[in-house]
Amino acid sequence: MKKLKQEGKTEHPLLKLIDQKKIPAHVAIIMDGNGRWAKSRGLERIEGHRAGIEGVKAAVEAAQETGVRYLTLYAFSVENWKRPESEVKELFNLLDHYLEKEKNRIEEEQIRFRTIGRLTDLPQKTRKNLEEVQERTINHKGLTLTFALSYGGRAEICDAISKIVDKAKMGEFNSEVTEKTVQKYLYAPDLPDPDLLIRTSGEYRISNFLLWQIAYTEIIILDVLWPDFRQEHFYEALLDYQRRERRYGGVSE
Ligand code: IPE
Ligand code: IPE
Ligand code: MG
C-alpha cells in the first residue's frame, strides 16, 4: 500500500480485504481479448491492442500496490507469428511506444524489466530497445516485470534440452537430468514459479504459456476482455487466490 500513500490516493475497498500475509510472489497473466474488444466496437484489431496498454498499466500498478514481487505478461506467443504481417508489425510498434513512454516510470519506480522468449525473432529495433531497458534496469529493486515475447512453453523446454545436449557433447555434462537441471536452462531460471495465473477473455486454455512453471500454479479465468482489465480485477483475482488451499499433492492439515 506504500505507493498509494505516497501518491495520496484513496484505497480501493477491495484492497482492504486482501491478506498481506498471503500475497502471491509471482503473478502471470495471459492478456487475451484485444481483438474481440475492438470488433465489438466496430474497430480494427490493432485498436484493441492499443487499448490493451491500459490493461498493462493497471496490472503493473495493482502488482505494486499489493506487494507482488514478480509480474509476467504474455504479450506475444510463438504461434502469434501466424497473424497478418500488418498486425504483427503494429504490435511491435506499440511495444516500442510503450517502452519509450514508460521509461521514466520504470526508472522512478525501480521496476526491473525482463523478457522471456525467442528474442532473436523480433524486429531489430524492438530487440535493441528491449535489451537496452533490460540492461539499464538490471539492478532495480522494485517489481520484476517480465514480458513474454515470441514465447512458447514448448519452445522454452526444447531450447533448454538443446542447451543440455550441447553441454553433454562438450563433455561438460554427464550427470542425471533432474528438474533442477532443466530449470537451470530455462529463459529466466531465477524467477520463482507463478503462484497465480490469470487469463482474461473467458477462454479456458493455457495457449502454450509457461508449461514447465505452472505445474502447481493456481489458475483464474476472468470474463473481462484485456483492454477493460483494471486494478479491481487484479484485486478480485488475489482474493479468490487467497481463498484456495494449495496442497501440492499432499493432504489438508
Ligand atoms: C491478445 O488479444 C493479444 C495478443 C495475443 C497479442 P488477441 O489479439 O488474441 O484478442 P482476441 O483473442 O482475438 O480477442
Ligand atoms: C495467447 O493468446 C497469447 C497471448 C496472450 C500473447 P492467443 O489469442 O494467441 O491464444 P489462442 O489462439 O486463443 O489460444
Ligand atoms: Mg486471443
Side-chain angles (χ1 to χ4, degrees), residues 20-57:
Q20 285 301 304
K21 290 190 288 295
K22 282 165 73 180
I23 300 293
H26 185 177
V27 176
I29 307 184
I30 303 176
M31 312 185 286
D32 197 20
N34 295 352
R36 278 162 281 170
W37 183 94
K39 199 176 166 206
S40 72
R41 285 165 176 75
L43 301 170
E44 296 287 332
R45 290 180 58 84
I46 187 64
E47 294 304 327
H49 298 313
R50 191 163 290 138
I53 292 181
E54 288 311 310
V56 173
K57 288 184 190 163

mmCIF file of all heavy atoms in Angstrom, residues 20-57:
data_model
loop_
_atom_site.group_PDB
_atom_site.id
_atom_site.type_symbol
_atom_site.label_atom_id
_atom_site.label_comp_id
_atom_site.label_asym_id
_atom_site.label_seq_id
_atom_site.Cartn_x
_atom_site.Cartn_y
_atom_site.Cartn_z
ATOM 1 N N GLN A 20 -2.377 -9.460 3.710
ATOM 2 C CA GLN A 20 -0.986 -9.115 3.406
ATOM 3 C C GLN A 20 -0.022 -10.280 3.617
ATOM 4 O O GLN A 20 1.075 -10.284 3.081
ATOM 5 C CB GLN A 20 -0.544 -7.913 4.254
ATOM 6 C CG GLN A 20 -1.103 -6.585 3.783
ATOM 7 C CD GLN A 20 -0.697 -6.259 2.343
ATOM 8 O OE1 GLN A 20 0.489 -6.237 2.036
ATOM 9 N NE2 GLN A 20 -1.669 -6.039 1.473
ATOM 10 N N LYS A 21 -0.460 -11.254 4.402
ATOM 11 C CA LYS A 21 0.431 -12.398 4.685
ATOM 12 C C LYS A 21 0.340 -13.476 3.605
ATOM 13 O O LYS A 21 1.112 -14.417 3.608
ATOM 14 C CB LYS A 21 0.100 -12.995 6.061
ATOM 15 C CG LYS A 21 0.496 -12.069 7.209
ATOM 16 C CD LYS A 21 0.412 -12.735 8.560
ATOM 17 C CE LYS A 21 -0.998 -12.986 9.037
ATOM 18 N NZ LYS A 21 -1.790 -11.764 9.290
ATOM 19 N N LYS A 22 -0.645 -13.329 2.700
ATOM 20 C CA LYS A 22 -0.804 -14.365 1.659
ATOM 21 C C LYS A 22 -0.733 -13.773 0.250
ATOM 22 O O LYS A 22 -1.480 -14.182 -0.643
ATOM 23 C CB LYS A 22 -2.146 -15.084 1.864
ATOM 24 C CG LYS A 22 -2.087 -16.105 3.007
ATOM 25 C CD LYS A 22 -3.449 -16.548 3.462
ATOM 26 C CE LYS A 22 -4.167 -17.476 2.520
ATOM 27 N NZ LYS A 22 -5.509 -17.869 3.059
ATOM 28 N N ILE A 23 0.156 -12.841 0.068
ATOM 29 C CA ILE A 23 0.314 -12.231 -1.256
ATOM 30 C C ILE A 23 1.123 -13.187 -2.145
ATOM 31 O O ILE A 23 2.208 -13.632 -1.740
ATOM 32 C CB ILE A 23 1.062 -10.872 -1.143
ATOM 33 C CG1 ILE A 23 0.300 -9.880 -0.248
ATOM 34 C CG2 ILE A 23 1.348 -10.269 -2.522
ATOM 35 C CD1 ILE A 23 -1.028 -9.399 -0.795
ATOM 36 N N PRO A 24 0.627 -13.523 -3.339
ATOM 37 C CA PRO A 24 1.433 -14.374 -4.224
ATOM 38 C C PRO A 24 2.716 -13.638 -4.623
ATOM 39 O O PRO A 24 2.682 -12.444 -4.900
ATOM 40 C CB PRO A 24 0.525 -14.593 -5.444
ATOM 41 C CG PRO A 24 -0.487 -13.491 -5.394
ATOM 42 C CD PRO A 24 -0.637 -13.103 -3.952
ATOM 43 N N ALA A 25 3.830 -14.354 -4.622
ATOM 44 C CA ALA A 25 5.093 -13.707 -5.005
ATOM 45 C C ALA A 25 5.086 -13.400 -6.500
ATOM 46 O O ALA A 25 5.537 -12.358 -6.946
ATOM 47 C CB ALA A 25 6.264 -14.611 -4.648
ATOM 48 N N HIS A 26 4.539 -14.335 -7.282
ATOM 49 C CA HIS A 26 4.621 -14.217 -8.745
ATOM 50 C C HIS A 26 3.233 -14.397 -9.377
ATOM 51 O O HIS A 26 2.591 -15.430 -9.191
ATOM 52 C CB HIS A 26 5.598 -15.285 -9.257
ATOM 53 C CG HIS A 26 5.873 -15.210 -10.726
ATOM 54 N ND1 HIS A 26 6.768 -16.043 -11.350
ATOM 55 C CD2 HIS A 26 5.382 -14.416 -11.712
ATOM 56 C CE1 HIS A 26 6.808 -15.761 -12.644
ATOM 57 N NE2 HIS A 26 5.960 -14.780 -12.890
ATOM 58 N N VAL A 27 2.793 -13.405 -10.094
ATOM 59 C CA VAL A 27 1.529 -13.481 -10.842
ATOM 60 C C VAL A 27 1.858 -13.430 -12.332
ATOM 61 O O VAL A 27 2.620 -12.567 -12.779
ATOM 62 C CB VAL A 27 0.574 -12.325 -10.466
ATOM 63 C CG1 VAL A 27 -0.695 -12.362 -11.312
ATOM 64 C CG2 VAL A 27 0.213 -12.370 -8.978
ATOM 65 N N ALA A 28 1.300 -14.364 -13.094
ATOM 66 C CA ALA A 28 1.486 -14.367 -14.555
ATOM 67 C C ALA A 28 0.122 -14.130 -15.200
ATOM 68 O O ALA A 28 -0.903 -14.572 -14.667
ATOM 69 C CB ALA A 28 2.063 -15.705 -14.999
ATOM 70 N N ILE A 29 0.116 -13.409 -16.307
ATOM 71 C CA ILE A 29 -1.179 -13.094 -16.947
ATOM 72 C C ILE A 29 -1.137 -13.384 -18.447
ATOM 73 O O ILE A 29 -0.219 -12.968 -19.155
ATOM 74 C CB ILE A 29 -1.577 -11.614 -16.737
ATOM 75 C CG1 ILE A 29 -1.538 -11.224 -15.246
ATOM 76 C CG2 ILE A 29 -2.976 -11.355 -17.311
ATOM 77 C CD1 ILE A 29 -2.018 -9.800 -14.942
ATOM 78 N N ILE A 30 -2.161 -14.099 -18.917
ATOM 79 C CA ILE A 30 -2.385 -14.266 -20.358
ATOM 80 C C ILE A 30 -3.361 -13.152 -20.746
ATOM 81 O O ILE A 30 -4.551 -13.207 -20.417
ATOM 82 C CB ILE A 30 -2.964 -15.663 -20.694
ATOM 83 C CG1 ILE A 30 -2.028 -16.773 -20.181
ATOM 84 C CG2 ILE A 30 -3.205 -15.792 -22.210
ATOM 85 C CD1 ILE A 30 -2.552 -18.199 -20.371
ATOM 86 N N MET A 31 -2.822 -12.144 -21.387
ATOM 87 C CA MET A 31 -3.610 -10.936 -21.704
ATOM 88 C C MET A 31 -4.385 -11.199 -22.997
ATOM 89 O O MET A 31 -3.843 -11.051 -24.080
ATOM 90 C CB MET A 31 -2.678 -9.744 -21.900
ATOM 91 C CG MET A 31 -1.627 -9.574 -20.804
ATOM 92 S SD MET A 31 -0.643 -8.076 -20.996
ATOM 93 C CE MET A 31 0.437 -8.484 -22.352
ATOM 94 N N ASP A 32 -5.641 -11.598 -22.878
ATOM 95 C CA ASP A 32 -6.367 -12.013 -24.088
ATOM 96 C C ASP A 32 -7.664 -11.220 -24.265
ATOM 97 O O ASP A 32 -8.278 -10.792 -23.286
ATOM 98 C CB ASP A 32 -6.669 -13.514 -23.998
ATOM 99 C CG ASP A 32 -7.034 -14.117 -25.346
ATOM 100 O OD1 ASP A 32 -6.696 -13.513 -26.383
ATOM 101 O OD2 ASP A 32 -7.659 -15.188 -25.362
ATOM 102 N N GLY A 33 -8.061 -11.045 -25.520
ATOM 103 C CA GLY A 33 -9.362 -10.434 -25.826
ATOM 104 C C GLY A 33 -9.295 -9.077 -26.493
ATOM 105 O O GLY A 33 -10.333 -8.424 -26.673
ATOM 106 N N ASN A 34 -8.107 -8.651 -26.893
ATOM 107 C CA ASN A 34 -7.974 -7.332 -27.543
ATOM 108 C C ASN A 34 -8.765 -7.260 -28.855
ATOM 109 O O ASN A 34 -9.427 -6.261 -29.139
ATOM 110 C CB ASN A 34 -6.508 -7.034 -27.869
ATOM 111 C CG ASN A 34 -5.658 -6.888 -26.632
ATOM 112 O OD1 ASN A 34 -6.170 -6.856 -25.515
ATOM 113 N ND2 ASN A 34 -4.348 -6.793 -26.816
ATOM 114 N N GLY A 35 -8.670 -8.329 -29.648
ATOM 115 C CA GLY A 35 -9.335 -8.352 -30.952
ATOM 116 C C GLY A 35 -10.847 -8.275 -30.801
ATOM 117 O O GLY A 35 -11.516 -7.510 -31.497
ATOM 118 N N ARG A 36 -11.382 -9.090 -29.865
ATOM 119 C CA ARG A 36 -12.834 -9.095 -29.648
ATOM 120 C C ARG A 36 -13.314 -7.755 -29.103
ATOM 121 O O ARG A 36 -14.392 -7.276 -29.444
ATOM 122 C CB ARG A 36 -13.222 -10.231 -28.678
ATOM 123 C CG ARG A 36 -13.345 -11.568 -29.377
ATOM 124 C CD ARG A 36 -13.288 -12.700 -28.399
ATOM 125 N NE ARG A 36 -11.902 -12.974 -27.998
ATOM 126 C CZ ARG A 36 -11.557 -13.779 -27.014
ATOM 127 N NH1 ARG A 36 -12.490 -14.381 -26.295
ATOM 128 N NH2 ARG A 36 -10.297 -13.990 -26.747
ATOM 129 N N TRP A 37 -12.519 -7.136 -28.261
ATOM 130 C CA TRP A 37 -12.859 -5.809 -27.716
ATOM 131 C C TRP A 37 -13.023 -4.823 -28.874
ATOM 132 O O TRP A 37 -13.986 -4.062 -28.921
ATOM 133 C CB TRP A 37 -11.756 -5.358 -26.759
ATOM 134 C CG TRP A 37 -11.999 -4.049 -26.066
ATOM 135 C CD1 TRP A 37 -12.567 -3.870 -24.829
ATOM 136 C CD2 TRP A 37 -11.660 -2.729 -26.549
ATOM 137 N NE1 TRP A 37 -12.612 -2.537 -24.521
ATOM 138 C CE2 TRP A 37 -12.061 -1.811 -25.554
ATOM 139 C CE3 TRP A 37 -11.065 -2.244 -27.711
ATOM 140 C CZ2 TRP A 37 -11.888 -0.434 -25.692
ATOM 141 C CZ3 TRP A 37 -10.892 -0.876 -27.850
ATOM 142 C CH2 TRP A 37 -11.303 0.017 -26.858
ATOM 143 N N ALA A 38 -12.063 -4.871 -29.809
ATOM 144 C CA ALA A 38 -12.102 -3.943 -30.945
ATOM 145 C C ALA A 38 -13.297 -4.267 -31.851
ATOM 146 O O ALA A 38 -14.057 -3.370 -32.241
ATOM 147 C CB ALA A 38 -10.794 -4.026 -31.725
ATOM 148 N N LYS A 39 -13.462 -5.545 -32.144
ATOM 149 C CA LYS A 39 -14.530 -5.964 -33.062
ATOM 150 C C LYS A 39 -15.899 -5.531 -32.538
ATOM 151 O O LYS A 39 -16.750 -5.055 -33.308
ATOM 152 C CB LYS A 39 -14.472 -7.487 -33.230
ATOM 153 C CG LYS A 39 -15.192 -7.965 -34.472
ATOM 154 C CD LYS A 39 -15.056 -9.454 -34.700
ATOM 155 C CE LYS A 39 -16.093 -9.880 -35.740
ATOM 156 N NZ LYS A 39 -16.462 -11.283 -35.587
ATOM 157 N N SER A 40 -16.094 -5.674 -31.239
ATOM 158 C CA SER A 40 -17.405 -5.329 -30.665
ATOM 159 C C SER A 40 -17.690 -3.828 -30.767
ATOM 160 O O SER A 40 -18.811 -3.389 -30.590
ATOM 161 C CB SER A 40 -17.480 -5.772 -29.203
ATOM 162 O OG SER A 40 -16.664 -4.932 -28.409
ATOM 163 N N ARG A 41 -16.663 -3.068 -31.051
ATOM 164 C CA ARG A 41 -16.831 -1.614 -31.223
ATOM 165 C C ARG A 41 -16.725 -1.187 -32.689
ATOM 166 O O ARG A 41 -16.641 0.003 -32.983
ATOM 167 C CB ARG A 41 -15.762 -0.874 -30.410
ATOM 168 C CG ARG A 41 -16.053 -0.871 -28.938
ATOM 169 C CD ARG A 41 -14.828 -0.459 -28.134
ATOM 170 N NE ARG A 41 -15.195 -0.373 -26.716
ATOM 171 C CZ ARG A 41 -15.388 -1.439 -25.923
ATOM 172 N NH1 ARG A 41 -15.252 -2.657 -26.403
ATOM 173 N NH2 ARG A 41 -15.727 -1.266 -24.659
ATOM 174 N N GLY A 42 -16.645 -2.167 -33.564
ATOM 175 C CA GLY A 42 -16.503 -1.862 -34.989
ATOM 176 C C GLY A 42 -15.141 -1.271 -35.333
ATOM 177 O O GLY A 42 -14.987 -0.535 -36.317
ATOM 178 N N LEU A 43 -14.139 -1.603 -34.525
ATOM 179 C CA LEU A 43 -12.784 -1.051 -34.753
ATOM 180 C C LEU A 43 -11.853 -2.123 -35.321
ATOM 181 O O LEU A 43 -12.150 -3.315 -35.270
ATOM 182 C CB LEU A 43 -12.208 -0.539 -33.425
ATOM 183 C CG LEU A 43 -12.985 0.554 -32.691
ATOM 184 C CD1 LEU A 43 -12.421 0.765 -31.296
ATOM 185 C CD2 LEU A 43 -12.946 1.865 -33.486
ATOM 186 N N GLU A 44 -10.705 -1.686 -35.820
ATOM 187 C CA GLU A 44 -9.664 -2.614 -36.291
ATOM 188 C C GLU A 44 -9.045 -3.305 -35.072
ATOM 189 O O GLU A 44 -8.957 -2.710 -33.991
ATOM 190 C CB GLU A 44 -8.557 -1.836 -37.016
ATOM 191 C CG GLU A 44 -8.981 -1.121 -38.278
ATOM 192 C CD GLU A 44 -9.237 -2.073 -39.432
ATOM 193 O OE1 GLU A 44 -8.611 -3.153 -39.459
ATOM 194 O OE2 GLU A 44 -10.077 -1.728 -40.287
ATOM 195 N N ARG A 45 -8.546 -4.533 -35.257
ATOM 196 C CA ARG A 45 -7.941 -5.286 -34.153
ATOM 197 C C ARG A 45 -6.831 -4.494 -33.441
ATOM 198 O O ARG A 45 -6.705 -4.540 -32.223
ATOM 199 C CB ARG A 45 -7.354 -6.606 -34.678
ATOM 200 C CG ARG A 45 -8.393 -7.619 -35.108
ATOM 201 C CD ARG A 45 -7.709 -8.877 -35.619
ATOM 202 N NE ARG A 45 -6.834 -9.439 -34.589
ATOM 203 C CZ ARG A 45 -7.267 -10.243 -33.617
ATOM 204 N NH1 ARG A 45 -8.520 -10.584 -33.539
ATOM 205 N NH2 ARG A 45 -6.422 -10.701 -32.727
ATOM 206 N N ILE A 46 -6.063 -3.779 -34.229
ATOM 207 C CA ILE A 46 -4.933 -3.040 -33.644
ATOM 208 C C ILE A 46 -5.401 -2.013 -32.593
ATOM 209 O O ILE A 46 -4.701 -1.749 -31.618
ATOM 210 C CB ILE A 46 -4.045 -2.389 -34.750
ATOM 211 C CG1 ILE A 46 -2.782 -1.765 -34.148
ATOM 212 C CG2 ILE A 46 -4.779 -1.392 -35.585
ATOM 213 C CD1 ILE A 46 -1.839 -2.761 -33.503
ATOM 214 N N GLU A 47 -6.614 -1.496 -32.797
ATOM 215 C CA GLU A 47 -7.156 -0.554 -31.803
ATOM 216 C C GLU A 47 -7.357 -1.268 -30.459
ATOM 217 O O GLU A 47 -7.223 -0.655 -29.400
ATOM 218 C CB GLU A 47 -8.475 0.059 -32.288
ATOM 219 C CG GLU A 47 -8.330 0.958 -33.504
ATOM 220 C CD GLU A 47 -7.329 2.092 -33.277
ATOM 221 O OE1 GLU A 47 -7.218 2.583 -32.135
ATOM 222 O OE2 GLU A 47 -6.638 2.457 -34.246
ATOM 223 N N GLY A 48 -7.680 -2.532 -30.532
ATOM 224 C CA GLY A 48 -7.813 -3.330 -29.305
ATOM 225 C C GLY A 48 -6.465 -3.491 -28.609
ATOM 226 O O GLY A 48 -6.367 -3.386 -27.385
ATOM 227 N N HIS A 49 -5.417 -3.712 -29.404
ATOM 228 C CA HIS A 49 -4.075 -3.840 -28.816
ATOM 229 C C HIS A 49 -3.659 -2.508 -28.181
ATOM 230 O O HIS A 49 -3.076 -2.488 -27.104
ATOM 231 C CB HIS A 49 -3.051 -4.257 -29.875
ATOM 232 C CG HIS A 49 -3.342 -5.593 -30.487
ATOM 233 N ND1 HIS A 49 -3.665 -6.703 -29.737
ATOM 234 C CD2 HIS A 49 -3.374 -6.010 -31.782
ATOM 235 C CE1 HIS A 49 -3.867 -7.742 -30.536
ATOM 236 N NE2 HIS A 49 -3.706 -7.344 -31.786
ATOM 237 N N ARG A 50 -3.981 -1.431 -28.880
ATOM 238 C CA ARG A 50 -3.626 -0.107 -28.346
ATOM 239 C C ARG A 50 -4.329 0.117 -27.005
ATOM 240 O O ARG A 50 -3.711 0.543 -26.033
ATOM 241 C CB ARG A 50 -4.043 0.977 -29.363
ATOM 242 C CG ARG A 50 -3.494 2.354 -29.042
ATOM 243 C CD ARG A 50 -3.559 3.276 -30.230
ATOM 244 N NE ARG A 50 -2.607 2.898 -31.263
ATOM 245 C CZ ARG A 50 -2.869 2.887 -32.572
ATOM 246 N NH1 ARG A 50 -4.056 3.229 -33.017
ATOM 247 N NH2 ARG A 50 -1.929 2.542 -33.430
ATOM 248 N N ALA A 51 -5.615 -0.222 -26.962
ATOM 249 C CA ALA A 51 -6.384 -0.042 -25.721
ATOM 250 C C ALA A 51 -5.883 -1.000 -24.632
ATOM 251 O O ALA A 51 -6.013 -0.712 -23.440
ATOM 252 C CB ALA A 51 -7.865 -0.275 -25.997
ATOM 253 N N GLY A 52 -5.289 -2.103 -25.062
ATOM 254 C CA GLY A 52 -4.768 -3.090 -24.115
ATOM 255 C C GLY A 52 -3.628 -2.550 -23.259
ATOM 256 O O GLY A 52 -3.340 -3.092 -22.192
ATOM 257 N N ILE A 53 -2.994 -1.490 -23.704
ATOM 258 C CA ILE A 53 -1.908 -0.886 -22.905
ATOM 259 C C ILE A 53 -2.446 -0.404 -21.554
ATOM 260 O O ILE A 53 -1.759 -0.481 -20.537
ATOM 261 C CB ILE A 53 -1.211 0.243 -23.702
ATOM 262 C CG1 ILE A 53 -0.461 -0.403 -24.877
ATOM 263 C CG2 ILE A 53 -0.249 1.034 -22.820
ATOM 264 C CD1 ILE A 53 0.311 0.541 -25.751
ATOM 265 N N GLU A 54 -3.706 0.020 -21.525
ATOM 266 C CA GLU A 54 -4.318 0.426 -20.245
ATOM 267 C C GLU A 54 -4.378 -0.761 -19.287
ATOM 268 O O GLU A 54 -4.179 -0.599 -18.082
ATOM 269 C CB GLU A 54 -5.733 0.990 -20.466
ATOM 270 C CG GLU A 54 -5.752 2.357 -21.126
ATOM 271 C CD GLU A 54 -4.805 3.364 -20.461
ATOM 272 O OE1 GLU A 54 -4.864 3.502 -19.222
ATOM 273 O OE2 GLU A 54 -3.990 3.986 -21.182
ATOM 274 N N GLY A 55 -4.646 -1.924 -19.836
ATOM 275 C CA GLY A 55 -4.668 -3.139 -19.016
ATOM 276 C C GLY A 55 -3.288 -3.438 -18.436
ATOM 277 O O GLY A 55 -3.164 -3.804 -17.265
ATOM 278 N N VAL A 56 -2.265 -3.245 -19.257
ATOM 279 C CA VAL A 56 -0.888 -3.479 -18.794
ATOM 280 C C VAL A 56 -0.571 -2.529 -17.632
ATOM 281 O O VAL A 56 -0.061 -2.938 -16.587
ATOM 282 C CB VAL A 56 0.133 -3.290 -19.942
ATOM 283 C CG1 VAL A 56 1.564 -3.373 -19.425
ATOM 284 C CG2 VAL A 56 -0.093 -4.329 -21.042
ATOM 285 N N LYS A 57 -0.911 -1.254 -17.821
ATOM 286 C CA LYS A 57 -0.623 -0.266 -16.765
ATOM 287 C C LYS A 57 -1.362 -0.621 -15.476
ATOM 288 O O LYS A 57 -0.810 -0.508 -14.385
ATOM 289 C CB LYS A 57 -1.044 1.128 -17.235
ATOM 290 C CG LYS A 57 -0.132 1.703 -18.302
ATOM 291 C CD LYS A 57 -0.573 3.106 -18.611
ATOM 292 C CE LYS A 57 0.136 3.667 -19.828
ATOM 293 N NZ LYS A 57 -0.565 4.845 -20.362
#
